[in-house]
Amino acid sequence: MSKLFAFSSLVLLIVLALWAWKDYNREWRIYQKTFYALENKGSTGINDKKRENRYEIKQIDLPELKRTDRCITCHLGVEDPTMVKVKLPYKVHPNFSQHPFNEFGCTICHLGQGRATTVKAAHGEVRYWEEPMLPLKYIQASCAKCHLISNPSVAPDLVLGMKKYEEYGCADCHIIDGVGEKGGIDLSLAGKHRSPDWHFAHLKDPQALVPDSQMPNFGLTDEDARVLTVYLLCLRKEEIPSRYVCPSPKSEISEAK
Ligand code: HEC
Ligand code: HEC
Ligand code: HEC
Ligand code: HEC
């Protein structure tokens, strides 16, 4: 009897120890440890004030945008201008003052799974997560949620994509927001496909993805297919609170003229 008790106690102890070990070695903890070490080494004075280097899940709550983004749990240096010559995820964000992260978070532009705390899940490379992180080469698709497509100083890929759409006569067979050939396939929500890779491959060679497709193979360059993909992806709509819509459409239009 006492042997059995001793044995089960031992098992319990081992399970607890393993659990504690696993908790201590969580992916994000290891990133935080490395970041805090980098900070102590590389600080140039800007961050000299005593820091609280706590091990914790860090998050940005954005009820208006219906998001909670925990990306900064690992991407700790996004607003730290001293974090230049360091690897991802510690690096400072390019142009980070344009969209303060406490108001914008991350997934509004990058997509991905805001609440997740492992690299794979956060970047959305998991089953049943419908919005995997946009590869950076397509990221300008997100700018159209708040900015005018036609503003080249914001998102040149969108301006180019729209131009290519006209150049190749896509509207001869397709409709976007009611404009285009009657009876054509509506692309207003980027069609039924969500994956940027699908769009890119389909544009390069429609018949390879859709056997017997009547869509012509235009012999597009990779660059043309890329900007067209950015343009198609930007057609997906998301409701955005008006204070985020930039700044007032009128002033942008007059600027573009
Ligand atoms: C558990 C830690 C972790 C979390 C959480 C995390 N990331 Fe990352 N991220 C990384 C690491 C590590 C890299 C560099 C290696 C890689 O790309 O996997 C990276 C790279 C990136 C890159 C660069 C990709 C490229 O192509 O160069 C982007 C963009 C990015 N993350 C965005 C996000 C966003 C948005 C979130 C939140 C939805 C997020 N990350 C959450 C660890 C994390
Ligand atoms: C307003 C849109 C926007 C928001 C919000 C945003 N990003 Fe980015 N992010 C971009 C763009 C655009 C790029 C590519 C910039 C470039 O290549 O010059 C980028 C690049 C990156 C990279 C790659 C940087 C590199 O040096 O390779 C990472 C990592 C990243 N973002 C993470 C984040 C995280 C984490 C957040 C939230 C704290 C965030 N971003 C919020 C638009 C955004
Ligand atoms: C959720 C809405 C939102 C998204 C998404 C967004 N922006 Fe912005 N952006 C804003 C707002 C709001 C401002 C501030 C405008 C102001 O101060 O007048 C701004 C300012 C800017 C500015 C500086 C001011 C200007 O108009 O030149 C640039 C450049 C910019 N954004 C580029 C981008 C790019 C590139 C993307 C996509 C990667 C992007 N934005 C995505 C809302 C957004
Ligand atoms: C001659 C007519 C024709 C032209 C021109 C044409 N397409 Fe298509 N497109 C089709 C047909 C037919 C399909 C359905 C079969 C398929 O998916 O390949 C299609 C499908 C698509 C889809 C997938 C829609 C969905 O919901 O599955 C996209 C995206 C698309 N086209 C974009 C374009 C773009 C961008 C251009 C211009 C570069 C273009 N198409 C030019 C005929 C055309």
Side-chain angles (χ1 to χ4, degrees), residues 8-163:
S8 52
S9 302
L10 188 70
V11 169
L12 189 70
L13 206 70
I14 293 173
V15 167
L16 275 173
L18 270 176
W19 180 78
W21 183 81
K22 234 187 119 192
D23 189 54
Y24 186 74
N25 283 292
R26 276 181 203 285
E27 231 177 299
W28 59 263
R29 251 179 181 279
I30 294 167
Y31 288 115
Q32 292 192 353
K33 200 172 160 192
T34 312
F35 181 78
Y36 296 146
L38 279 172
E39 264 186 337
N40 292 334
K41 214 168 50 182
S43 175
T44 58
I46 296 171
N47 293 306
D48 271 354
K49 63 175 186 272
K50 185 120 180 67
R51 236 187 290 261
E52 285 179 78
N53 287 347
R54 262 183 289 165
Y55 291 92
E56 62 188 5
I57 288 174
K58 300 173 194 288
Q59 68 184 37
I60 306 170
D61 282 309
L62 304 154
E64 272 185 281
L65 296 176
K66 302 191 188 78
R67 285 167 159 79
T68 296
D69 285 354
R70 296 180 169 158
C71 315
I72 51 165
T73 298
C74 299
H75 289 272
L76 290 143
V78 283
E79 289 180 307
D80 184 342
T82 67
M83 290 292 161
V84 180
K85 286 191 176 138
V86 296
K87 294 194 298 194
L88 287 174
Y90 315 113
K91 230 168 140 185
V92 63
H93 198 281
N95 309 317
F96 68 91
S97 61
Q98 288 165 349
H99 310 91
F101 297 129
N102 61 347
E103 286 176 57
F104 287 82
C106 314
T107 56
I108 193 79
C109 291
H110 287 282
L111 314 187
Q113 189 173 187
R115 288 176 181 273
T117 54
T118 64
V119 180
K120 246 183 135 174
H123 294 177
E125 292 142 15
V126 280
R127 263 176 99 189
Y128 308 124
W129 188 256
E130 288 201 357
E131 297 202 319
M133 194 164 77
L134 267 182
L136 290 175
K137 60 179 180 241
Y138 302 125
I139 195 159
Q140 289 184 18
S142 300
C143 317
K145 289 177 185 175
C146 307
H147 292 277
L148 280 180
I149 294 179
S150 55
N151 183 345
S153 69
V154 170
D157 287 355
L158 286 174
V159 181
L160 258 176
M162 195 165 53
K163 208 176 107 207

Side-chain angles (χ1 to χ4, degrees), residues 165 168-170 172-174 185-187 190-193 198-199 202-203 206 210 213-216 218 220 228 232:
Y165 186 85
Y168 287 104
C170 310
D172 291 349
C173 301
H174 290 296
I185 298 171
D186 198 323
L187 303 178
K192 53 183 189 266
H193 295 276
W198 188 91
H199 282 293
H202 178 255
L203 286 165
V210 184
S213 172
Q214 298 300 302
M215 178 156 143
F218 295 95
L220 297 175
L228 276 165
L232 288 169

Side-chain angles (χ1 to χ4, degrees), residues 165 169-191 231-232 235 237:
Y165 186 85
C170 310
D172 291 349
C173 301
H174 290 296
I175 298 176
I176 290 175
D177 291 339
V179 179
E181 186 61 23
K182 230 171 139 195
I185 298 171
D186 198 323
L187 303 178
S188 297
L189 297 166
Y231 176 60
L232 288 169
L235 304 172
K237 297 286 189 290

